[in-house]
Structure formats: C-alpha cells, structure tokens
Amino acid sequence: MLRAIADVLRQIGAAIATVVTLPFRALARLFGGAAHSTRRTGRAHRA
C-alpha cells in the first residue's frame, strides 16, 4: 500500500518537474541557438 502511494507521488513529482523545466529548456535552446548562429556569422565576417 505504501509502495503504491510512493510510486504515485514519484510520478506526480516527475510530471511537475517536467512541466517546470520545459520553459527553461526552451529558453536554453533559444539562446543556445541564437549564440550559435551569432558565432557562425561572426566567423563569416572575420574570414
């Protein structure tokens, strides 16, 4: 019984963690992609 409750709580915690981290992952991808493209254009200007 306690194990089942613990499993449910663990799944709920994992779902909450996923929802909370999604915006941060999206921002990281956005800024990471922007920084990567900026670096690429910077190299092109130097060459």
Side-chain angles (χ1 to χ4, degrees), residues 15-41:
I16 291 171
T18 302
V19 169
V20 168
T21 57
L22 272 176
F24 295 106
R25 287 185 198 171
L27 284 174
R29 189 175 298 153
L30 184 72
F31 286 118
H36 190 64
S37 64
T38 303
R39 265 186 259 133
R40 229 182 302 148
T41 56

